[in-house]
């Protein structure tokens, strides 16, 4: 059978190549991506997504959710941080993942992806939502509220810094007036006065 194609696959390299050829010839891109995701290391599957310009929705269904089910989200996040720290390639894929996670009400994973995207406004709002859950204990709810304040403070600081330097802010915020310097478009924008208000409100409840 030869060496296995990866630690998570029971296929040898020759058999794997045969399957890939068959799927490339007779299958669909979604089928091929799902097969590669199931048998290859995360970095291999991610490079396939980039090389073949896989559509975001196809990425979510054929790679992201299978990756999540296999417990490989941490490996995926590590690959993104190392290969595309500014998210110039993966922003649209992560946004599609967030949309799908929100639709499926998978709040914890959604928050995890928001952290990967450094989308502090959305992460702060998600933390407020966690704080509002009546099924959590008091200490856990307060931890979520502390995180919310931290996210809003971080977004505020990034916005102020962006305004001073005249560059794009990475915190997902705008200044109060017109001509503000927004952060990357995939991050939620919010005026600094609103961020300050959210942070103060959270602090008063701690």
């Amino acid at each position: 059978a030869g060496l296995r194609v990866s630690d998570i696959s029971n296929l040898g390299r020759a058999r794997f190549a045969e399957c890939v050829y068959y799927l490339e010839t007779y299958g669909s891109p979604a089928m091929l991506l799902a097969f590669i995701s199931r048998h290859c290391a995360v970095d291999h599957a991610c490079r396939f997504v980039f090389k073949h310009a896989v559509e975001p929705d196809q990425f979510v269904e054929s790679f992201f959710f299978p990756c999540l089910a296999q417990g490989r989200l941490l490996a995926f996040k590590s690959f993104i941080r190392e290969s595309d720290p500014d998210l110039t390639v993966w922003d649209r894929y992560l946004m599609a993942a967030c949309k799908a996670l929100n639709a499926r009400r998978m709040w914890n994973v959604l928050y995890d992806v928001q952290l990967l995207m450094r989308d502090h406004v959305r992460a702060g709002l998600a933390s407020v939502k966690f704080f509002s859950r009546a099924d959590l204990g008091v200490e856990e709810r307060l931890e979520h509220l502390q995180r919310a304040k931290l996210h809003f403070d971080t977004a505020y600081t990034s916005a102020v810094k962006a305004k001073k330097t005249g560059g794009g802010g990475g915190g997902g915020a705008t200044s109060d007036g017109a001509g503000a310097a927004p952060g990357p478009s995939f991050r939620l924008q919010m005026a600094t006065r609103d961020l300050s208000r959210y942070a103060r409100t959270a602090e008063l409840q701690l």
Side-chain angles (χ1 to χ4, degrees):
L3 295 174
R4 289 186 300 163
V5 70
S6 74
D7 291 339
I8 65 170
S9 177
N10 59 358
L11 295 179
R13 295 182 182 276
R15 180 61 174 165
F16 175 81
E18 290 176 4
C19 292
V20 168
Y21 172 78
Y22 180 86
L23 289 170
E24 285 179 336
T25 305
Y26 303 106
S28 66
M31 292 170 62
L32 180 57
L33 175 57
F35 176 79
I36 289 176
S37 300
R38 189 163 60 250
H39 290 280
C40 293
V42 166
D43 57 344
H44 187 128
C46 287
R47 291 189 185 98
F48 176 91
V49 170
F50 175 70
K51 179 180 179 181
H52 296 275
V54 172
E55 289 298 317
D57 289 345
Q58 189 178 100
F59 156 80
V60 170
E61 296 302 326
S62 299
F63 172 76
F64 183 80
F65 279 118
C67 182
L68 185 61
Q70 295 165 352
R72 298 199 288 164
L73 183 60
L74 182 60
F76 172 68
K77 293 192 299 180
S78 295
F79 175 84
I80 298 300
R81 290 192 183 101
E82 292 174 6
S83 66
D84 187 25
D86 295 325
L87 302 181
T88 56
V89 173
W90 286 94
D91 55 346
R92 65 191 188 112
Y93 293 107
L94 294 177
M95 283 299 294
C98 286
K99 181 179 179 181
L101 289 166
N102 186 65
R104 299 189 188 196
R105 303 175 68 85
M106 301 176 68
W107 310 128
N108 289 312
V109 183
L110 174 60
Y111 176 73
D112 210 10
V113 176
Q114 289 168 343
L115 293 182
L116 174 64
M117 299 171 70
R118 300 187 300 281
D119 191 342
H120 289 288
V121 177
R122 283 193 176 94
L125 294 174
S127 297
V128 171
K129 182 181 292 185
F130 286 135
F131 166 74
S132 302
R133 287 176 52 178
D135 60 318
L136 300 180
V138 175
E139 290 187 6
E140 189 173 359
R141 293 178 64 200
L142 288 177
E143 286 178 3
H144 288 303
L145 194 60
Q146 289 173 335
R147 291 194 189 101
K149 182 182 182 304
L150 178 60
H151 287 305
F152 294 134
D153 283 342
T154 301
Y156 178 87
T157 300
S158 296
V160 171
K161 181 179 179 181
K163 184 179 179 181
K164 290 180 178 179
T165 60
T174 64
S175 73
D176 295 334
S185 60
F186 61 85
R187 296 186 182 120
L188 182 62
Q189 307 297 301
M190 184 179 288
T192 52
R193 63 174 177 272
D194 293 329
L195 289 169
S196 179
R197 178 169 54 85
Y198 271 104
R200 286 199 305 269
T201 300
E203 186 174 19
L204 288 172
Q205 297 182 70
L206 289 172

